[in-house]
Amino acid sequence: MIEQTATNFLLYDLHSHTRASDGDLTPSQLVQRAVEKRVNVLAITDHDTIDGLAEATATIAEQQLALQLVHGVEISTEWENHEIHIVGLGIAPYHPALTAFLAQQVERRQQRAEEIDRRLAKARIANSYQGAKQFATSAVVTRSHFARYLVQIGIADNLTQVFAKYLAKGKIGYVPPQWCTIAEAIAVIHQAGGRAVIAHPGRYDLSAKWLKRLLADFAEQGGDAMEIAQCQQAPAERQLLASYAREYQLLASQGSDFHGVCPWIELGRKLWLPSGVEPVWHDWPHTRNPAEQRSG
Ligand code: AMP
Ligand code: MN
Ligand code: MN
Ligand code: MN
């Protein structure tokens, strides 16, 4: 049997989204839900933006919620023709280098959105960028926003269908990635004082050989950690990823990648690390036992 490690007495969920990118909940709703789900430490990691953090911080203070917020971001990068997501944890959200970098990512997103619009127009779907923007509350426009618009105008029944037919790799509305490199993402996360984490390594459709190449590259370039645990995952995958973390000397992270209320994914659900890995939060101050903190 797999056991929880001793440091897991606080429930950590270090990957989640708000309406600032493609999540359904406002930052306030998200932190309230995290408390309901008994999460103690939550990272908000919106795609290429930190815009949700201020509202989350304010709500935690106003409502005196028993929740530690970790400032995070999820950066889209390009590696060997794959879109690889790098989560930054514990960043200073207003660090000037990060601000400049995220502005660049937003610019890349805008250019890509225009290109998606042109491609969908060829499939006789007009003005999809305008439509997608209606669903976005920050400057970050994601494929999810396009998908919501296409569902709204009756092109498909649900988001999964839109991705399968129009937006997934190789489909008519897909634009090959123009994101920054992994090295650039790691550098800016470090400049902002954070740790760089490979997000959901099991979801890139990489063979074991290529996944190991990715992890080796990431570690060599100074990356800090990888996600080991998600809500929807066979125990075998968690153990395998844990063995990779040990092999490449990466710290271990865990997160639901919560985007909104759904039957399969929930904040905090099934999040624990196998033994033998070092948690990414091992030296964070709030991981200390509360009794210890009281005694000084
Ligand atoms: P982007 O970063 O703009 O490429 O958008 C990617 C986002 O789309 C991901 O973060 C997911 O939230 C969402 N997504 C990707 N694939 C699917 C899918 N098959 N069904 C639903 N949502 C998806
Ligand atoms: Mn997303
Ligand atoms: Mn992701
Ligand atoms: Mn995510």
Side-chain angles (χ1 to χ4, degrees), residues 43-294:
I44 292 180
T45 55
D46 275 310
H47 297 288
D48 298 309
T49 183
I50 52 90
D51 282 2
L53 297 176
E55 183 187 314
T57 305
T59 300
I60 290 168
E62 279 159 21
Q63 302 185 10
Q64 302 188 355
L65 300 180
L67 181 71
Q68 299 274 348
L69 182 70
V70 174
H71 294 157
V73 66
E74 182 174 14
I75 298 173
S76 292
T77 76
E78 183 187 346
W79 178 83
E80 302 282 357
N81 263 325
H82 292 278
E83 294 189 46
I84 305 298
H85 290 177
I86 307 292
V87 162
L89 294 179
I91 49 164
Y94 302 107
H95 189 286
L98 183 64
T99 304
F101 173 86
L102 294 179
Q104 227 181 3
Q105 289 285 95
V106 167
E107 172 70 27
R108 290 186 177 109
R109 282 189 173 276
Q110 281 163 2
Q111 281 169 16
R112 184 189 64 157
E114 286 166 15
E115 182 63 23
I116 292 175
D117 183 285
R118 282 192 284 274
R119 292 186 187 211
L120 289 178
K122 285 184 191 158
R124 298 172 186 277
I125 301 168
N127 297 324
S128 57
Y129 187 15
Q130 278 307 320
K133 271 199 268 197
Q134 293 168 21
F135 290 92
T137 59
S138 80
V140 167
V141 176
T142 70
R143 280 184 288 165
S144 296
H145 299 117
F146 276 90
R148 282 173 216 188
Y149 176 64
L150 266 55
V151 169
Q152 186 192 52
I153 63 174
I155 297 287
D157 293 338
N158 56 54
L159 302 184
T160 309
Q161 244 183 49
V162 181
F163 273 90
K165 276 188 172 161
Y166 295 97
L167 297 175
K169 196 169 188 171
K171 303 300 168 181
I172 187 149
Y174 181 76
V175 179
Q178 307 279 332
W179 303 121
C180 67
T181 64
I182 286 182
E184 287 170 311
I186 294 172
V188 77
I189 289 167
H190 285 172
Q191 272 179 290
R195 282 196 171 139
V197 186
I198 294 224
H200 41 68
R203 289 220 314 256
Y204 298 121
D205 261 341
L206 296 172
S207 65
K209 182 180 147 194
W210 276 90
L211 180 54
K212 290 176 94 169
R213 277 185 71 174
L214 169 65
L215 297 173
D217 260 18
F218 178 74
E220 195 182 301
Q221 292 173 44
D224 304 289
M226 61 185 279
E227 288 181 356
I228 301 291
Q230 295 179 261
C231 319
Q232 265 190 311
Q233 187 184 39
E237 181 181 84
R238 200 172 290 209
Q239 290 299 341
L240 180 67
L241 293 176
S243 76
Y244 291 164
R246 287 192 291 270
E247 183 172 347
Y248 297 101
Q249 300 193 343
L250 292 167
L251 299 171
S253 188
Q254 61 185 35
S256 60
D257 201 4
F258 181 86
H259 279 73
V261 178
C262 85
W264 310 283
I265 293 170
E266 186 53 82
L267 290 164
R269 184 185 288 172
K270 296 189 194 164
L271 296 181
W272 49 268
L273 295 176
S275 56
V277 294
E278 177 102 271
V280 68
W281 59 82
H282 70 98
D283 56 355
W284 293 355
H286 51 250
T287 65
R288 292 172 60 198
N289 186 311
E292 215 180 301
Q293 276 174 7
R294 272 198 299 276

